[in-house]
Amino acid sequence: MDTRMGAMETPSGRNIAIRRILLPRDTNHRGEIFGGAILAEIDLAGAVEARLHTRHDVATVAVKEVVFKKPVQVGDVVTFYTSLVRLGKTSIHVRVEVETSRDGVAAPVSVTAAEVVYVAIERDIEGGIYAVPLGKV
């Protein structure tokens, strides 16, 4: 088990970054969970993983293809798993996999996955933001 703050490694080597029950406020007009709510959680989950690899703040610069394979229903327990794909000089590539389980009985269902790219950032004395080398954790 990874003991770094924010990481909960599973036997598959993926980290559980976020696990939550999605609520009616997250629904679209069909009563299913709105894709934008899932995208926001993907971004947050990826940032949790990225922060394990740098002492700097991180900002999202890209989210690679997201295809929603199955709908998420209100009350589903949704788990966002993360794994490090690549560390660059200033960027961190993270894979985020989303699974849902219903009623705590059925096997988890894969909902979507994405690769998210973050850049390590700092603010200069004038408040501007700039990319910085990752350095050591």
Side-chain angles (χ1 to χ4, degrees):
M1 171 134 321
D2 193 330
T3 57
R4 296 173 294 178
M5 186 153 90
M8 233 169 24
E9 190 172 329
T10 65
S12 66
R14 302 181 300 176
N15 292 320
I16 298 173
I18 298 172
R19 178 175 282 154
R20 65 177 292 228
I21 297 173
L22 294 170
L23 303 172
R25 70 172 179 243
D26 300 315
T27 58
N28 61 23
H29 66 284
R30 291 185 309 276
E32 297 168 339
I33 299 301
F34 176 60
I38 301 290
L39 288 172
E41 296 293 326
I42 286 172
D43 190 23
L44 290 171
V48 168
E49 178 71 29
R51 291 292 300 269
L52 297 175
H53 303 283
T54 182
R55 60 180 167 71
H56 302 286
D57 288 337
V58 295
T60 309
V61 293
V63 177
K64 298 185 179 180
E65 185 178 56
V66 176
V67 176
F68 293 98
K69 299 181 266 187
K70 298 283 184 184
V72 176
Q73 306 296 324
V74 171
D76 284 358
V77 176
V78 184
T79 305
F80 297 80
Y81 296 95
T82 59
S83 56
L84 178 67
V85 174
R86 183 172 75 82
L87 282 175
K89 290 186 179 185
T90 61
S91 64
I92 304 168
H93 296 240
V94 175
R95 179 162 177 78
V96 180
E97 298 173 44
V98 183
E99 294 179 358
T100 186
S101 58
R102 295 188 173 103
D103 301 325
V105 177
V109 174
S110 177
V111 174
T112 191
E115 184 175 323
V116 188
V117 182
Y118 300 88
V119 64
I121 59 170
E122 283 189 0
R123 292 190 181 275
D124 63 22
I125 197 156
E126 297 168 356
I129 297 174
Y130 61 97
V132 296
L134 293 175
K136 301 215 178 212
V137 177

